[in-house]
């Protein structure tokens, strides 16, 4: 079942002319239960490939492209444009539009020396920070944006054996909102 078929309908005067149309209430929001969201056994992890859409992944994984909305919900994606990984072409355009100099310095980093030493610490972008941390590494604007894309490229997919239960529970939650 498609996402919009599950959502409730409302009468709405979209033109302000006193004529009401029956429309899907896209403002309906349902929160994923914390126990479901945190159940690592209910998910598989997947790295989104260049140009893949939620519909393509749902077709590949569930054999049903209309279940694309489950992927968005499982990953708390409410804004497809900014929260879904960009294609290589769109990413290049984005970086070139956002920065006058994509190769320019975004910030400096140092390696953590205690706790999780695989992590890095952003020490800022000013020359004073570079002087304070002479062993710091330069992170370019391009590298910074690439890291963001790499992070959001890894998504969670509800395991196929649980997808029916997930859809049923979502429908119940929508009914509760009414």
């Amino acid at each position: 079942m498609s996402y919009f078929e599950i959502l409730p309908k409302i009468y709405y005067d979209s033109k302000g002319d006193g004529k009401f149309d029956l429309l899907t209430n896209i403002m309906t929001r349902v929160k994923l239960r914390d126990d479901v969201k945190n159940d690592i056994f209910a998910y598989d992890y997947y790295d989104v490939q260049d140009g893949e859409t939620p519909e393509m992944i749902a077709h590949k994984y569930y054999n049903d492209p209309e279940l694309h909305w489950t992927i968005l919900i499982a990953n708390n994606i409410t804004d497809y444009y900014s929260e879904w990984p960009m294609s290589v072409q769109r990413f290049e355009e984005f970086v070139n539009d956002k920065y006058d100099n994509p190769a320019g310095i975004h910030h400096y980093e140092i390696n953590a020396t205690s706790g999780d030493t695989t992590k890095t610490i952003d020490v800022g972008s000013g020359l004073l920070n570079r002087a304070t941390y002479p062993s710091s590494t330069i992170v370019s604007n391009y590298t910074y944006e690439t890291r963001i894309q790499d992070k959001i490229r890894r998504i969670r997919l509800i395991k196929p054996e649980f997808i029916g239960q997930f859809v049923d529970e979502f429908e119940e939650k929508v009914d509760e909102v009414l």
Side-chain angles (χ1 to χ4, degrees):
M1 179 177 290
S2 86
Y3 178 72
F4 292 107
E5 290 173 335
I6 294 172
L7 294 179
K9 310 293 185 245
I10 59 169
Y11 284 100
Y12 186 74
D13 179 7
S14 60
K15 296 178 184 173
D17 61 3
K19 297 180 183 174
F20 290 83
D21 296 310
L22 187 61
L23 304 173
T24 301
N25 185 359
I26 61 171
M27 300 305 289
T28 302
R29 294 287 179 254
V30 175
K31 181 179 182 249
L32 193 59
R33 282 188 355 228
D34 287 335
D35 63 325
V36 172
K37 185 168 57 173
N38 298 325
D39 184 358
I40 61 170
F41 298 111
Y43 298 99
D44 284 327
Y45 289 87
Y46 181 84
D47 291 319
V48 177
Q49 302 302 304
D50 182 35
E52 278 188 314
T53 65
E55 292 82 0
M56 295 164 87
I57 296 169
H59 177 70
K60 185 187 318 186
Y61 197 71
Y62 303 120
N63 204 30
D64 185 351
E66 289 194 359
L67 289 174
H68 67 282
W69 60 271
T70 64
I71 295 169
L72 299 176
I73 289 173
N75 291 280
N76 292 324
I77 296 173
T78 57
D79 181 357
Y80 175 81
Y81 187 76
S82 66
E83 297 173 331
W84 187 258
M86 297 178 204
S87 68
V88 171
Q89 179 182 352
R90 187 168 146 236
F91 176 73
E92 294 293 331
E93 292 168 359
F94 167 78
V95 171
N96 288 321
D97 286 346
K98 184 172 180 178
Y99 299 99
D100 291 333
N101 181 7
I105 297 170
H106 188 274
H107 66 274
Y108 300 101
E109 289 180 344
I110 59 171
N111 292 323
T113 56
S114 64
D116 185 352
T117 57
T118 63
K119 301 232 181 231
T120 58
I121 301 167
D122 179 339
V123 294
S125 60
L127 291 176
L128 179 60
N129 294 342
R130 178 65 168 183
T132 305
Y133 301 99
S135 64
S136 64
T137 305
I138 295 171
V139 176
S140 70
N141 295 319
Y142 190 89
T143 299
Y144 172 76
E145 295 295 343
T146 299
R147 288 178 180 175
I148 292 172
Q149 287 301 299
D150 289 346
K151 187 175 183 178
I152 64 175
R153 190 167 311 290
R154 169 130 309 204
I155 61 169
R156 299 184 323 168
L157 298 174
I158 300 163
K159 289 185 176 181
E161 60 265 31
F162 299 123
I163 197 67
Q165 177 185 353
F166 179 84
V167 171
D168 291 344
E169 287 184 20
F170 184 84
E171 289 178 12
E172 288 175 20
K173 288 289 184 189
V174 168
D175 288 343
E176 288 174 12
V177 171
L178 302 175

